[in-house]
Amino acid sequence: MTKSTLRRLLVGAAVLIAAGATATALASTSSSAVTRARLERDLPGTFANLYVQQAKILGRPRITVASLHAKAQCDKGGPKVADHGPGTDWICLMSWDDPNVPLPDGSGKFELNVHSNACYTAGGPSKLIGQLTITDTKGDDVPNPVFEFDGCFDPHGDNTPTGVEFPKLPSTTTPLPGQPATAGTPAVVSLGSGPLRLHDGVVAIPLTCSAGDGGCAGTLRIRPGAATATYVVAAGSTTTLNVPLPRRASRLASARLAFTPVIGRGPSTLVETSITTG
């Protein structure tokens, strides 16, 4: 056999091997149980159950799985990659309803590492779901259930499209604290995580203002007790508002806060929180 003939045989064999490997990979991916629809069905439920656990830790018992109305829109690897198969390149936008935590962009971005066994690890934006540890109603630092969490879905479950599509964000979307603001974007004020602290009849209220034009300013009313205070927070920063409470409200275990923004935006409903003494 000549060298040229041997070379042609080797090249041909290499092409066949490569083609076979590609076909196997494609077949494996296309038949994968990991799909966008299954992730979009499982992720919100897993997140909502853990979020309710977090709410109880923070003293917000009225947050329930049903009240959150969590939903997700998932994508793998961008527009040029098919939305199925395991990998570390899954991104899911998720929305939920919690008056204590406004979503300036209407959703939060979660990064998923999805495995071929139909299980995954998800991590979300700490600006919305909190840090690795949070402060419970006793003032102790405890693990945050939704900082990073695991889930598994039924590999033979419903695979029909969920139809969840979040609208494309306009250029005036309000960025989170520390991010650059677009001109004309209003800032958003929100309550910090953990219970409020009450000492000598004065309650400390941590406030955060996202980046945005004009910062955050307005009035804050505490119920019960009817205490009222004015807040002014620079854009992209945090502050603590110290509010004296009437004597009849000096032993409150929980409170509801009503925001009335004058500059920027705020929660549209009452924000419920617990109070610790010390």
Side-chain angles (χ1 to χ4, degrees):
M1 182 182 297
T2 64
K3 290 184 178 180
S4 60
T5 301
L6 178 60
R7 182 179 179 181
R8 286 196 299 272
L9 289 173
L10 290 175
V11 171
V15 170
L16 288 174
I17 292 171
T22 301
T24 300
L26 289 174
S28 174
T29 301
S30 62
S31 62
S32 173
V34 178
T35 65
R36 169 180 172 174
R38 290 186 178 120
L39 283 174
E40 289 181 349
R41 283 188 170 84
D42 187 84
L43 180 63
T46 300
F47 170 79
N49 280 291
L50 294 172
Y51 196 91
V52 168
Q53 293 181 27
Q54 185 204 62
K56 290 180 179 179
I57 292 172
L58 297 176
R60 298 168 182 168
R62 294 193 180 184
I63 300 297
T64 66
V65 171
S67 71
L68 286 172
H69 299 107
K71 58 183 180 180
Q73 174 189 340
C74 298
D75 174 81
K76 176 178 168 61
K80 296 184 179 181
V81 177
D83 291 333
H84 52 73
T88 60
D89 54 349
W90 280 95
I91 298 293
C92 293
L93 297 179
M94 188 151 55
S95 67
W96 63 96
D97 298 330
D98 181 355
N100 306 286
V101 183
L103 302 180
D105 293 338
S107 63
K109 185 175 77 171
F110 287 71
E111 298 180 358
L112 276 67
N113 181 7
V114 187
H115 310 290
S116 58
N117 64 352
C119 293
Y120 57 86
T121 299
S126 58
K127 298 293 184 182
L128 298 178
I129 62 175
Q131 300 294 331
L132 178 62
T133 60
I134 54 178
T135 305
D136 65 14
T137 56
K138 298 179 181 178
D140 297 325
D141 291 334
V142 298
N144 182 357
V146 292
F147 180 77
E148 186 174 270
F149 56 91
D150 298 319
C152 294
F153 57 87
D154 182 356
H156 305 293
D158 189 355
N159 196 34
T160 57
T162 64
V164 176
E165 294 282 351
F166 292 109
K168 292 185 178 180
L169 298 175
S171 59
T172 56
T173 297
T174 303
L176 297 173
Q179 295 181 338
T182 303
T185 300
V188 179
V189 67
S190 59
L191 181 66
S193 63
L196 306 184
R197 296 187 182 277
L198 178 64
H199 181 69
D200 289 339
V202 177
V203 63
I205 304 176
L207 298 177
T208 297
C209 180
S210 69
D213 284 355
C216 303
T219 58
L220 179 64
R221 188 177 181 86
I222 304 174
R223 303 176 184 176
T228 303
T230 299
Y231 65 85
V232 178
V233 191
S237 64
T238 61
T239 191
T240 299
L241 197 64
N242 294 308
V243 183
L245 294 181
R247 181 171 296 180
R248 65 181 182 276
S250 61
R251 295 184 178 180
L252 289 176
S254 62
R256 292 172 293 169
L257 310 181
F259 288 82
T260 305
V262 176
I263 300 175
R265 297 184 298 180
S268 58
T269 59
L270 292 176
V271 177
E272 297 188 16
T273 185
S274 59
I275 298 177
T276 61
T277 303

